[in-house]
Amino acid sequence: MHLFFTPDIQAEQKQYQLSEEESKHAVRVLRMNVGDKVQLIDGRGGWYEAEISDAHPKRTQLAVISYSADFQKPTYHLHIAVAPTKNIDRIEWFLEKATEIGIQEITPIISEHSERKEVKIDRLNKVVISAMKQSLKAYMPQINEAVSLDVFLQKVAKEEGLQKAIAHCEEDQAKKYLNKEFPQGAKYLILIGPEGDFSGREIETALSAGFIPVSLGEARLRTETAALYACTEIALLNR
């Protein structure tokens, strides 16, 4: 199966031209030719079957054979707000694995102890697109622009119907477990802090905004491991 990401395709289209990058990959790398079948995803749940009608290395033409909407549509919405790590490769690893497992939204948050203050969204989107194609998913997770934790908490404090949790390392609070506290099929928002954890003030602010403290096990996890652990817990909860 050869899968291509075509974000500008529309459900009613019968013909489509691959981008120059995807055309080169199809013709030069995969050695595809006229009559070969391909699959297309638009990142919005659309899954397309198509056939190559003109195998050009810069503008390959496709005839769309069929279209399916809401392909493997998730039954829940998971939003993880995570502090970007000093080594960006670690956050890219998290994004890759979380996309494969199932995640719908990611927000990089900048907290008091963050070592990295900015991220390149275009680079992160490339990681997500590659993982989406690898895992045969038709929905592309949304990556938001980086924002300070205080601004983010103000934004989501009054959002209704949102199951909110914060994972932190402070030991003076009774913590709950995601798979026991949250219902299935809900909208979840989980905060994951930086290597130095959230500050005490940030934790209190999050609790005041309706977040509950949760445990991710007995071990102290690295940021990207904690974020993936939370992603896995929610995925298992909604099996």
Side-chain angles (χ1 to χ4, degrees):
M1 178 184 294
H2 298 298
L3 187 62
F4 296 88
F5 179 53
T6 54
D8 58 341
I9 194 171
Q10 301 300 318
E12 65 277 5
Q13 279 187 245
K14 298 302 180 183
Q15 302 290 327
Y16 183 80
Q17 179 177 299
L18 289 178
S19 67
E20 183 172 343
E21 181 180 359
E22 292 283 43
S23 293
K24 181 179 179 181
H25 183 67
V27 177
R28 298 293 191 206
V29 179
L30 299 177
R31 304 287 184 181
M32 303 190 77
N33 215 324
V34 172
D36 288 342
K37 300 291 194 303
V38 298
Q39 287 73 39
L40 314 174
I41 50 173
D42 58 16
R44 307 181 301 275
W47 180 279
Y48 303 75
E49 299 283 344
E51 180 179 298
I52 296 178
S53 56
D54 181 13
H56 193 286
K58 291 188 176 181
R59 48 182 183 276
T60 293
Q61 300 291 331
L62 305 176
V64 179
I65 300 171
S66 64
Y67 163 73
S68 299
D70 300 328
F71 181 77
Q72 296 183 356
K73 185 177 182 179
T75 59
Y76 61 93
H77 185 95
L78 173 59
H79 181 179
I80 289 189
V82 57
T85 53
K86 183 177 181 180
N87 182 348
I88 197 63
D89 290 348
R90 288 161 53 192
I91 281 296
E92 291 178 359
W93 174 85
F94 158 69
L95 287 174
E96 178 184 79
K97 303 310 175 187
T99 300
E100 294 175 7
I101 292 171
I103 191 172
Q104 289 71 49
E105 190 172 357
I106 306 99
T107 299
I109 51 171
I110 310 304
S111 72
E112 292 180 16
H113 297 159
S114 290
E115 294 188 82
R116 176 178 287 275
K117 303 295 184 180
E118 58 181 35
V119 293
K120 296 180 179 179
I121 300 300
D122 288 346
R123 175 172 171 171
L124 299 184
N125 275 324
K126 288 181 180 179
V127 173
V128 165
I129 290 169
S130 177
M132 181 176 59
K133 292 165 66 175
Q134 173 66 32
S135 54
L136 305 181
K137 293 185 180 297
Y139 285 91
M140 179 175 174
Q142 176 182 331
I143 303 179
N144 302 317
E145 292 290 338
V147 63
S148 73
L149 177 61
D150 288 336
V151 170
F152 182 77
L153 290 176
Q154 291 175 8
K155 180 180 178 182
V156 302
K158 297 182 180 179
E159 188 171 341
E160 297 182 358
L162 190 59
Q163 306 292 322
K164 297 180 289 189
I166 177 172
H168 63 78
C169 299
E170 294 291 331
E171 298 179 354
D172 60 346
Q173 294 179 354
K175 298 179 182 178
K176 306 187 183 214
Y177 292 93
L178 290 172
N179 61 354
K180 295 182 180 179
E181 183 66 18
F182 288 161
Q184 291 182 323
K187 291 181 64 177
Y188 314 96
L189 171 57
I190 303 172
L191 292 178
I192 305 292
E195 286 89 339
D197 201 9
F198 293 114
S199 69
R201 181 195 66 80
E202 289 174 329
I203 294 172
E204 289 304 317
T205 302
L207 297 181
S208 298
F211 286 78
I212 63 170
V214 293
S215 171
L216 299 180
E218 299 301 323
R220 176 165 290 195
L221 306 177
R222 298 176 73 164
T223 294
E224 73 278 13
T225 309
L228 189 62
Y229 186 106
C231 182
T232 304
E233 283 282 284
I234 295 299
L236 290 174
L237 172 65
N238 287 277
R239 279 195 307 187

